[in-house]
């Protein structure tokens, strides 16, 4: 065989066994699927964040007819059917996360669909990949908060706004979706730049600008009307005596001072971390303004990209930019990065770009904590085992769902207002009704109860809770008092009335003698105590320590 013949044969065999060229769209699509599979598992293994418990409490209260706030509570109507299915708030939230994952899938589809207005399919698929692979989106895109719902609603409204021609169905779709998102959260206003840019895109692309302007105006009017209708219907189901419009006004007034900041962002570490956990997207966000200046991009598209990039500036003045906020923020930014995606694909190739996004996300996934959620669930199981039926309690974040909570949500904003007001509301609550349980589900509360923080509550409140609750089963404190054998006819103030069990003893209470395991009814107020032996008085009728007590350790995961 000649050399030429051998080369021809080799070439033929190489062609016969050559790997077929993979369609460019399959690389980003494969990345999206891999990230979503990893994220889906996190629904069941990622620790519940403190505010997820608060959002579930609103659903539980609404199902029980106790919710009295119509603004920013529209999500309760979506999740009311879940109420009462499970025994713990943790399991209710896990179930609700499945629906939130559905909202995220809608968001991903909308990102792709909107991106197709400006680029080819392969580039458009990188937009949802860039979004879902961002670390904080991976961790919180399915969380039981308003952000995934509002993001899906706003992108749906954007989708309808960008349909051409802009006709009746599109106007109605925009109005319903925009009103729905506004009912979920008032921070929809932060998306105004991208909606303004979409309107500008419509005007610049229109054949009849006067007609298009009229239809855009109708979109706004219809959205306002739809919001008013949604609000009226939702508020009609509220049970508070105060008029719904007044309650909403009070809420807005009280929160206005906590929306904006001047100077250093209060969540600066989380802000920096959000970009560290999304390095590829971060570089694209940074380079987008340069590309918009240098590249030849049609003016309507350029206007849209500028508007989609503008929400980034909210980080300069909007205060509540904790980790979950980036589920909301990164969606328009991913759309703004279409020019950067095109440039990156041209320079580095489709495969490399898809792998870069995907590997970053899988790296974040690999570092996930997967045990804390079981500890959170066990806390609730233990509380149920101790009490058997709901009691009023103090805690940080409404962990016990539909159980009556005596204090407000202990966020930094609420605690700031509490200290500014200077009113001992915890002691006042204890004077109004029996509060047998204090759940130490935050480090600050535990530090308070264990004497490591004297300033978390006002002095009168600190004294009230420290002197009326004793550790029972970590991190559960129950109303009670401990008396050493040296206690001689002391006057002790009890702020939690009810039946108490004597542990130890003997002890004289108001000159009456009680021994081990005796029951004594104690009214609110001062009582004379004389302990002949070390004695502990524990609220309740011979309450038992849980079968599986929880060892001290983490019960929350940092952002």
């Amino acid at each position: 065989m000649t050399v030429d013949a051998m080369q021809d044969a080799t070439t033929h065999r190489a062609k016969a066994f050559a790997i077929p060229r993979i369609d460019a769209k399959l690389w980003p699509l494969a990345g999206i699927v891999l990230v979503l599979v990893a994220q889906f598992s996190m629904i069941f293994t990622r620790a519940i964040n403190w505010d997820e418990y608060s959002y579930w409490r609103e659903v539980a209260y609404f199902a029980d007819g106790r919710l009295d706030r119509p603004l920013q509570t529209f999500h309760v109507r979506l999740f009311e059917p879940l109420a009462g299915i499970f025994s713990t708030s943790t399991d209710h939230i896990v179930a609700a996360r499945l629906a939130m994952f559905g909202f995220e899938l809608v968001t991903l589809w909308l990102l792709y669909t909107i991106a197709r207005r400006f680029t080819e399919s392969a580039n458009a698929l990188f937009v949802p990949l860039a979004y879902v692979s961002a670390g904080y989106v991976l961790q919180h895109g399915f969380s039981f908060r308003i952000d995934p719902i509002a993001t899906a609603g706003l992108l749906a409204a954007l989708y309808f706004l960008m349909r051409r021609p802009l006709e009746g169905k599109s106007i109605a779709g925009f109005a319903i979706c925009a009103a729905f998102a506004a009912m979920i959260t008032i921070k929809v206003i932060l998306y105004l730049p991208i909606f303004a840019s979409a309107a500008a895109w419509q005007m610049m692309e229109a054949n009849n600008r006067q007609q298009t302007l009229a239809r855009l105006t109708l979109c706004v009017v219809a959205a306002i009307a739809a919001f008013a209708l949604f609000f009226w219907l939702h508020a009609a189901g509220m049970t508070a005596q105060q008029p719904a419009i007044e309650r909403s006004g009070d809420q807005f007034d009280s929160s206005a001072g906590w929306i904006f900041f001047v100077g250093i962002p209060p969540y600066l570490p989380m802000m920096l971390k959000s970009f560290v956990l999304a390095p590829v997207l971060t570089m694209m966000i940074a380079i987008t303004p340069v590309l918009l200046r240098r590249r030849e991009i049609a003016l309507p598209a350029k206007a849209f990209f500028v508007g989609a990039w503008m929400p980034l500036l909210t980080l300069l003045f909007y205060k509540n930019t904790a980790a979950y906020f980036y589920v909301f923020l990164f969606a328009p930014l991913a759309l703004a990065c279409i020019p950067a995606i095109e440039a990156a694909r041209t320079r580095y190739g489709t495969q490399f770009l898809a792998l870069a996004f995907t590997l970053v996300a899988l790296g974040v996934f690999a570092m996930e904590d997967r045990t804390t959620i079981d500890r959170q669930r066990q806390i609730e199981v233990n509380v149920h085992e101790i009490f058997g039926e709901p009691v009023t309690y103090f805690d940080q974040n409404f962990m016990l769902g539909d159980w009556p909570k005596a204090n407000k949500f202990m966020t930094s904003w609420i605690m700031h207002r509490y200290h500014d007001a200077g009113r001992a509301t915890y002691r006042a609550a204890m004077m109004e009704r029996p509060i047998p349980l204090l759940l130490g589900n935050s480090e600050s509360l535990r530090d308070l109860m264990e004497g490591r923080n004297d300033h978390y509550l006002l002095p009168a409140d600190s004294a009230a809770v420290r002197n009326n609750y004793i550790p029972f089963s970590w991190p559960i404190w129950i109303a009670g008092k401990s008396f050493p054998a040296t206690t001689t006819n002391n006057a002790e103030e009890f702020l939690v009335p009810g039946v108490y069990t004597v542990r130890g003893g003997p002890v004289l209470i108001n000159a009456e003698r009680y021994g081990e395991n005796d029951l004594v009814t104690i009214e609110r107020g001062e009582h004379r105590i004389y302990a002949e032996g070390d004695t502990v008085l524990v609220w309740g009728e011979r309450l038992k320590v849980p079968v599986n007590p929880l060892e001290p350790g983490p019960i929350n995961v940092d952002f």
Side-chain angles (χ1 to χ4, degrees):
M1 181 179 289
T2 65
V3 174
D4 290 342
M6 292 177 61
Q7 289 178 342
D8 289 342
T10 303
T11 303
H12 177 74
R13 285 195 298 270
K15 289 181 178 179
F17 293 99
I19 298 174
R21 182 178 180 273
I22 297 176
D23 191 303
K25 291 182 289 187
L26 292 181
W27 289 99
L29 187 60
I32 292 171
V33 171
L34 281 173
V35 174
L36 286 177
V37 168
Q39 189 184 49
F40 185 80
S41 71
M42 292 166 62
I43 292 173
F44 309 95
T45 61
R46 182 166 178 79
I48 309 297
N49 288 116
W50 46 270
D51 52 340
E52 290 185 274
Y53 283 114
S54 177
Y55 284 120
W56 175 252
R57 178 266 314 188
E58 292 177 335
V59 176
Y61 277 24
F62 180 72
D64 198 36
R66 287 184 283 156
L67 188 66
D68 62 355
R69 178 169 60 85
L71 194 60
Q72 296 195 120
T73 59
F74 199 60
H75 69 281
V76 301
R77 295 194 176 273
L78 306 178
F79 295 95
E80 182 188 8
L82 280 179
I85 293 179
F86 303 100
S87 60
T88 67
S89 296
T90 299
D91 288 316
H92 279 107
I93 292 168
V94 168
R97 283 174 167 182
L98 292 170
M100 307 306 273
F101 186 74
F103 280 108
E104 185 187 55
L105 292 179
V106 171
T107 293
L108 297 179
W109 179 81
L110 289 167
L111 285 172
Y112 168 76
T113 304
I114 295 169
R116 283 290 289 123
R117 296 283 183 189
F118 305 99
T119 190
E120 63 173 77
S121 295
N123 291 329
L125 281 169
F126 275 100
V127 174
L129 177 58
Y131 173 73
V132 76
S133 64
Y136 274 158
V137 177
L138 177 74
Q139 293 175 330
H140 304 285
F142 57 85
S143 62
F144 188 57
R145 295 181 174 95
I146 58 175
D147 301 270
I149 308 175
T151 303
L154 287 168
L155 287 182
L158 185 65
Y159 164 77
F160 283 113
L161 187 62
M162 299 186 70
R163 292 187 67 180
R164 302 207 48 208
L166 191 61
E167 296 178 339
K169 290 182 180 179
S170 298
I171 294 171
F174 169 82
I176 292 170
C177 293
F180 169 78
M183 283 294 297
I184 296 296
T185 174
I186 58 176
K187 70 182 178 187
V188 296
I189 194 171
L190 300 180
Y191 267 46
L192 276 180
I194 191 169
F195 281 101
S197 67
W201 176 83
Q202 276 282 11
M203 288 292 293
M204 284 186 276
E205 292 281 342
N207 294 323
N208 187 332
R209 292 189 177 181
Q210 187 174 1
Q211 183 185 69
T212 300
L213 179 60
R215 290 179 176 180
L216 289 171
T217 303
L218 184 57
C219 284
V220 176
V221 173
I224 294 172
F227 176 81
L229 178 62
F230 284 163
F231 182 84
W232 178 76
L233 291 172
H234 181 51
M238 300 293 100
T239 58
Q241 296 179 355
Q242 187 181 11
I245 191 67
E246 293 181 18
R247 291 196 304 274
S248 301
D250 290 346
Q251 179 193 357
F252 183 80
D253 290 342
S254 64
S255 63
W258 202 253
I259 295 175
F260 306 111
F261 73 91
V262 176
I264 299 175
Y267 292 112
L268 181 60
M270 289 187 209
M271 185 186 300
L272 296 176
K273 187 177 179 180
S274 73
F275 295 110
V276 170
L277 294 181
V280 183
L281 178 60
T282 298
M283 288 187 286
M284 289 184 171
I285 292 170
I287 201 173
T288 289
V290 177
L291 293 176
L292 291 178
R293 242 179 80 181
R294 293 182 179 178
R295 297 188 72 190
E296 292 184 5
I297 301 173
L299 184 59
K302 185 176 291 189
F304 176 80
F305 295 142
V306 169
W309 191 89
M310 290 293 286
L312 179 68
L313 301 181
T314 60
L315 298 177
L316 300 177
F317 59 85
Y318 180 65
K319 182 173 288 188
N320 191 18
T321 55
Y324 45 84
F325 174 69
Y326 298 91
V327 174
F328 184 82
L329 178 66
F330 280 162
L333 291 179
L335 287 168
C337 288
I338 289 173
I341 289 170
E342 293 174 339
R345 271 195 71 206
T346 300
R347 182 164 185 174
Y348 300 108
T350 301
Q351 298 94 323
F352 178 84
L353 189 58
L355 285 172
F357 280 122
T358 306
L359 290 178
V360 166
L362 295 181
V364 174
F365 171 73
M367 295 185 291
E368 272 293 294
D369 176 294
R370 296 174 176 84
T371 61
T372 299
I373 190 171
D374 294 326
R375 293 173 57 80
Q376 293 172 326
R377 185 180 290 109
Q378 189 62 45
I379 290 172
E380 293 190 75
V381 169
N382 289 353
V383 170
H384 285 279
E385 187 178 343
I386 292 168
F387 289 99
E389 59 183 29
V391 297
T392 306
Y393 71 105
F394 290 128
D395 89 327
Q396 185 212 24
N397 54 22
F398 296 92
M399 191 174 194
L400 300 178
D402 61 347
W403 285 31
K405 178 169 153 68
N407 62 322
K408 292 185 177 181
F409 193 12
M410 300 176 82
T411 64
S412 56
W413 166 40
I414 295 295
M415 296 308 293
H416 177 81
R417 294 182 60 209
Y418 159 80
H419 280 280
D420 280 352
R423 293 192 295 269
T425 55
Y426 288 72
R427 179 181 174 86
M430 296 171 73
M431 296 297 291
E432 291 177 357
R433 53 179 168 168
I435 306 173
L437 169 63
L438 187 149
L439 186 55
N441 54 358
S442 77
E443 185 176 356
S444 297
L445 265 178
R446 295 193 296 275
D447 286 346
L448 169 72
M449 297 305 294
E450 293 167 359
R452 295 189 296 270
N453 185 344
D454 294 327
H455 306 292
Y456 189 52
L457 297 181
L458 296 171
D461 283 339
S462 294
V465 296
R466 282 177 174 171
N467 295 336
N468 282 276
Y469 296 93
I470 56 174
F472 190 80
S473 178
W474 194 93
I476 299 165
W477 276 259
I478 291 180
K481 289 177 180 284
S482 299
F483 303 100
T486 54
T487 304
T488 56
N489 206 31
N490 285 353
E492 286 287 335
E493 183 183 39
F494 287 76
L495 294 179
V496 186
V499 174
Y500 283 72
T501 302
V502 178
R503 302 276 175 86
V507 62
L508 274 68
I509 304 175
N510 297 329
E512 292 191 28
R513 186 183 178 89
Y514 298 90
E516 173 71 26
N517 224 30
D518 284 348
L519 301 178
V520 52
T521 300
I522 298 179
E523 301 296 329
R524 185 182 288 109
E526 287 193 349
H527 299 269
R528 292 285 174 180
I529 307 295
Y530 179 86
E532 298 178 13
D534 291 341
T535 303
V536 178
L537 299 178
V538 184
W539 190 95
E541 297 186 15
R542 304 183 180 98
L543 301 180
K544 296 186 180 300
V545 174
V547 174
N548 295 312
L550 197 65
E551 292 294 324
I555 55 175
N556 293 293
V557 174
D558 291 335
F559 286 130

